[in-house]
Amino acid sequence: MDKKAILKKAKREKRALLTEVESKQLLEKAGINVVKTKLATSMKEAVALSKEIGFPVVLKIASPDVVHKSDAGGVKVGLKNGAQVSRAYKEIMTSVKQKHPKATVDGVSVQPMAKPGVEVIIGMFKDPQFGPVLMFGLGGILVEILKDVSFRIVPLARRDAREMIRDIKGYPVLEGYRGQEPANIPFLEEMLLKVSDFAERNPEIKELDLNPIFAYRDGAVAVDARIVLEEEAVK
Ligand code: ADP
Ligand code: MG
């Protein structure tokens, strides 16, 4: 679906939260690297899509009412064959029905398992004073506790992108720490600039979260994405 169709559907359903699949579609069109993700509306389709994509795959609950997918038991990673996909599908549905009995469920998203990398996050929100602001930080549990993040106002200049990556305390982790693979910093700078551009061009977006992005020596890819639209855009 293109942007127009996605916005129209959200509007029809009076829904400000875009699904993971919709969010990734918009981001991919903007040249932001995301894991290819498809929607399966049945168990059979989930298995067929998994075979098409190639194992191992990840299955995630696809529902406009489930914001935190893993909290709802809605994420199954590292599925190696059709049988595992079928089982994961059932488990996800059972768990989500239990935790969100009223949720509308579209099905599941199917995507390839990305190889592990340094986890980073990019976010965008609107400050009442400054307007759209980008956030950058390291992903993972530790960072959720330490809140080691940096901010810059949109639109970002290349220099802002450079600085905001180097500003975080965990920067040495990106340079490769104790034998860990380093992250491609110029690629991340480029990603920040693209997200800034995307936010600027799409004022109907209220919030954006790429969490996590896996960063590698040779690039980076967002494995999860969440976009929230302005209320006025879906009225
Ligand atoms: P949510 O944030 O809604 O709970 P995510 O899509 O972020 O759900 O998935 C939860 C976790 O599963 C991620 O933080 C990541 O560690 C892992 N994960 C998700 N998608 C992939 C993927 N395509 N490849 C590898 N790991 C993934
Ligand atoms: Mg996430």
Side-chain angles (χ1 to χ4, degrees):
M1 269 199 295
D2 64 355
K3 182 185 162 188
K4 239 173 140 176
I6 290 171
L7 288 185
K8 208 169 148 189
K9 184 162 192 281
K11 206 167 176 168
R12 193 169 62 232
E13 294 166 7
K14 293 194 171 27
R15 145 173 87 80
L17 179 72
L18 297 186
T19 63
E20 180 200 8
V21 174
E22 291 168 336
S23 302
K24 282 177 168 173
Q25 274 171 357
L26 293 182
L27 291 158
E28 190 184 13
K29 288 228 166 66
I32 296 158
N33 211 22
V34 298
V35 170
K36 279 227 175 319
T37 302
K38 289 185 170 166
L39 177 71
T41 56
S42 68
M43 187 166 84
K44 216 174 136 192
E45 197 184 0
V47 173
L49 282 178
S50 301
K51 286 178 181 161
E52 196 183 300
I53 287 166
F55 297 103
V57 297
V58 179
L59 249 57
K60 299 181 195 174
I61 185 69
S63 162
D65 302 316
V66 180
V67 184
H68 301 292
K69 300 179 287 295
S70 12
D71 291 352
V75 179
K76 300 280 178 191
V77 300
L79 309 171
K80 295 190 194 74
N81 52 52
Q84 288 187 4
V85 169
S86 300
R87 173 147 26 104
Y89 186 95
K90 285 182 204 147
E91 285 172 1
I92 287 174
M93 291 306 161
T94 305
S95 177
V96 170
K97 239 171 231 144
Q98 211 167 52
K99 296 211 163 92
H100 299 269
K102 288 187 182 145
T104 303
V105 173
D106 299 337
V108 295
S109 72
V110 187
Q111 58 199 274
M113 184 75 189
K115 70 174 164 103
V118 186
E119 279 189 37
V120 303
I121 57 178
I122 295 177
M124 188 279 290
F125 62 91
K126 284 178 176 167
D127 181 90
Q129 304 271 321
F130 300 113
V133 173
L134 277 206
M135 186 198 81
F136 175 80
L138 286 181
I141 304 165
L142 208 60
V143 177
E144 274 171 31
I145 298 164
L146 299 178
K147 307 259 186 303
D148 180 20
V149 290
S150 60
F151 301 93
R152 289 293 183 282
I153 297 167
V154 170
L156 258 69
R158 187 161 290 272
R159 182 197 170 135
D160 296 317
R162 268 186 70 85
E163 284 175 359
M164 74 187 292
I165 292 175
R166 285 157 182 83
D167 271 1
I168 60 168
K169 292 191 201 75
Y171 179 67
V173 175
L174 297 175
E175 290 181 299
Y177 192 70
R178 301 224 169 144
Q180 187 201 254
E181 182 182 345
N184 188 323
I185 311 284
F187 193 96
L188 291 176
E189 289 172 7
E190 206 54 49
M191 217 163 170
L192 281 165
L193 291 172
K194 283 179 185 168
V195 175
S196 166
D197 197 51
F198 180 70
E200 212 186 350
R201 280 169 197 268
N202 297 282
E204 62 274 68
I205 295 177
K206 186 181 174 201
E207 264 175 63
L208 165 78
D209 259 308
L210 304 180
N211 182 8
I213 296 165
F214 287 179
Y216 310 114
R217 195 190 295 275
D218 59 352
V221 64
V223 304
D224 186 26
R226 188 172 67 93
I227 287 177
V228 183
L229 300 171
E230 295 282 4
E231 289 299 333
E232 294 88 77
V234 290
K235 256 187 199 147

